[in-house]
Amino acid sequence: MADNRGVVYLGNGEVDVQDISYPDLVLRDGPGVPKENVGRKCEHGVIIKNIVTNICGSDQHMVRGRTTAPEGMVLGHEITGEIVEVGRDVEFLKKGDIVSVPFNVACGRCKMCRRQDTHICLNVNPARPGGAYGYVDMGGWVGGQSEYVMVPYADFQLLKFPDKDQAMDKILDLTMLSDIFPTGYHGAVNAGVTTGSTVYVAGAGPVGLAAAHSAQLLGAAVVIVGDLKEERLKQARSFGCETINLQDHDDVGEQIEQILGVPEVDCGIDAVGFEAYGHGTNHEDAPAAVLNTMMDVVEAGGKYGMPGLYVTDDPGAKDKDSQQGSLKVRFGLGWSKAHSITTGQTPAMKYHRQLMNAILNEKADIANVVNATVISLDEAPQGYKEFDDGAAKKFVIDPHGTLSK
């Protein structure tokens, strides 16, 4: 029996569960690890036994071949688990603590971390600002869709749950703190959602649903969700959202007008990103579709957040410009309407404690909102296939069978 197993990207749309190295407090050489990070000592880190670890839409971008991710990389950046080993320099955490791991790898020391911009930490990735677990061009930190994983800078990064029994009771909600709940919330905050807002959310995947729920928590009067998949739209309606089926309708403003009486909203949230499809089509690539829709339907002076992922290199794109991350956006329209746009990954630490409190005090129902669905580690490849087909589920991997005991 191997000491550790994890979900490994094989290329060509395939993943497999394989034996991988048991982690230690050093970043070893491996697929996607920059040479400058090889051998990096992490006595400030911990080893975590994963209780739950999730499949994310961002993982799907790599698996579909829409990034430059290397084969052999261990996937996964949504990690929640129990500390089983503590590094020499860790002061405030101990074995047995149950913690949430923000998907951003962040040092806590640099200029960006000190101003809470942990998504663009300057010290964890030689290639560019910002690091993440199990993700292309993000520093080579080994992914957490596995039985065990190493997490550096533990005292700074980890969110310890105050009560272990309470944490286990709410684990399907708390697992969303590592990424999609803060990411959806960040999109809503950046869009300026407040009491009485009307909001358009593009995309009814897990991040879009989390953004819609976040908009509700922030006091939105009406949240409208658009998607091509009726199953996902049904999930959005289950917690009070209005919906637009974009396969049936290509004019979003017209559909918004039928709901609100006017063809525009106060603010918008792009939860789709660069793998957008054309409205009114059967999944035809149109990578700028969401951005151009936002410029059309968000009112003058409005804002939109962009938690959806955009990349610098997309080898699977159909045209040369899109392959380099250059999209045909109606920027002049956005400029003329004085729109404010916020881009970039989410600094998960900025929100995870307050969202934890919302969960523990029954103010947020995120597991039901995203339809959290538990699978075993061996079922992860099938989970990837179902998610890629548009299943209205957030797949939560239970590597040790903890939730079935």
Side-chain angles (χ1 to χ4, degrees):
M1 180 66 107
D3 292 328
N4 195 17
R5 296 191 306 148
V7 179
V8 178
Y9 171 56
L10 303 182
N12 298 318
E14 296 295 325
V15 300
D16 190 27
V17 179
Q18 298 184 352
D19 294 343
I20 61 175
S21 299
Y22 188 87
D24 58 5
L25 299 175
V26 178
L27 181 53
R28 306 291 183 182
D29 195 8
V33 181
K35 62 180 181 179
E36 299 91 339
N37 261 0
V38 173
R40 187 167 181 162
K41 294 183 172 69
C42 297
E43 288 292 344
H44 41 64
V46 298
I47 307 301
I48 287 179
K49 178 181 180 180
N50 287 322
I51 298 172
V52 280
T53 175
N54 312 326
I55 297 175
C56 180
S58 297
D59 300 320
Q60 291 283 19
H61 295 310
M62 292 185 290
V63 173
R64 292 188 192 113
R66 299 298 293 267
T67 72
T68 55
E71 296 178 12
M73 188 170 65
V74 181
L75 300 174
H77 54 271
E78 301 189 12
I79 303 163
T80 306
E82 179 182 356
I83 296 174
V84 294
E85 183 180 336
V86 177
R88 178 194 62 209
D89 298 333
V90 176
E91 185 176 359
F92 303 112
L93 297 164
K94 64 182 185 302
K95 292 181 183 179
D97 287 343
I98 297 179
V99 295
S100 175
V101 182
F103 77 92
N104 322 104
V105 181
C107 72
R109 298 159 168 80
C110 71
K111 173 183 177 181
M112 301 305 171
C113 286
R114 288 177 183 274
R115 69 184 197 194
Q116 290 192 307
D117 287 335
T118 52
H119 58 310
I120 44 176
C121 174
L122 301 176
N123 290 330
V124 296
N125 182 3
R128 64 184 66 171
Y133 305 91
Y135 209 83
V136 60
D137 296 332
M138 284 291 164
W141 300 94
V142 179
Q145 283 174 17
S146 57
E147 294 174 328
Y148 299 90
V149 67
M150 188 270 283
V151 173
Y153 305 104
D155 277 332
F156 174 65
Q157 294 197 100
L158 297 183
L159 176 65
K160 176 184 172 181
F161 300 136
D163 182 270
K164 293 177 70 172
D165 290 337
Q166 184 188 34
M168 290 307 300
D169 184 55
K170 290 284 191 181
I171 199 69
L172 290 183
D173 295 284
L174 295 172
T175 188
M176 307 305 165
L177 293 174
S178 58
D179 181 357
I180 67 163
F181 200 7
T183 293
Y185 193 83
H186 183 61
V189 168
N190 286 334
V193 178
T194 187
T195 305
S197 294
T198 58
V199 187
Y200 175 63
V201 180
V207 169
L209 297 175
H213 187 45
S214 297
Q216 292 172 332
L217 293 174
L218 289 165
V222 181
V223 180
I224 304 168
V225 180
D227 199 278
L228 294 164
K229 297 282 188 180
E230 182 56 34
E231 182 184 358
R232 289 184 165 185
L233 293 173
K234 181 179 178 181
Q235 183 64 25
R237 289 192 293 271
S238 75
F239 59 96
C241 297
E242 301 286 344
T243 61
I244 300 172
N245 188 319
L246 298 174
Q247 192 161 324
D248 296 337
H249 306 285
D250 61 359
D251 190 328
V252 176
E254 180 180 304
Q255 299 305 306
I256 288 174
E257 185 171 20
Q258 290 185 17
I259 296 168
L260 299 178
V262 292
E264 61 184 14
V265 289
D266 298 332
C267 45
I269 303 170
D270 172 5
V272 176
F274 75 105
E275 281 198 78
Y277 299 121
H279 300 160
T281 74
N282 189 17
H283 299 81
E284 294 180 7
D285 281 4
V290 173
L291 295 178
N292 286 327
T293 296
M294 291 297 177
M295 291 179 181
D296 185 37
V297 304
V298 173
E299 69 177 3
K303 300 179 181 179
Y304 35 104
M306 295 170 57
L309 176 68
Y310 288 84
V311 295
T312 55
D313 295 287
D314 176 9
K318 293 183 177 179
D319 64 83
K320 187 174 181 180
D321 286 341
S322 297
Q323 289 174 4
Q324 299 173 344
S326 181
L327 308 182
K328 295 180 180 179
V329 178
R330 295 189 65 194
F331 190 77
L333 176 60
W335 186 92
S336 69
K337 295 176 74 173
H339 282 163
S340 298
I341 308 169
T342 302
T343 67
Q345 290 188 4
T346 298
M349 286 180 63
K350 192 171 185 176
Y351 309 105
H352 66 180
R353 186 173 299 276
Q354 67 201 77
L355 294 176
M356 175 189 73
N357 288 335
I359 289 168
L360 295 180
N361 290 283
E362 309 288 343
K363 303 300 182 184
D365 193 26
I366 188 66
N368 285 329
V369 161
V370 300
N371 193 17
T373 303
V374 179
I375 60 175
S376 69
L377 186 60
D378 288 324
E379 292 172 317
Q382 181 61 31
Y384 268 91
K385 286 183 172 61
E386 291 185 28
F387 191 28
D388 194 42
D389 288 338
K393 300 175 181 179
K394 174 68 173 178
F395 287 105
V396 177
I397 299 171
D398 177 10
H400 298 275
T402 305
L403 304 190
S404 61
K405 294 177 181 176

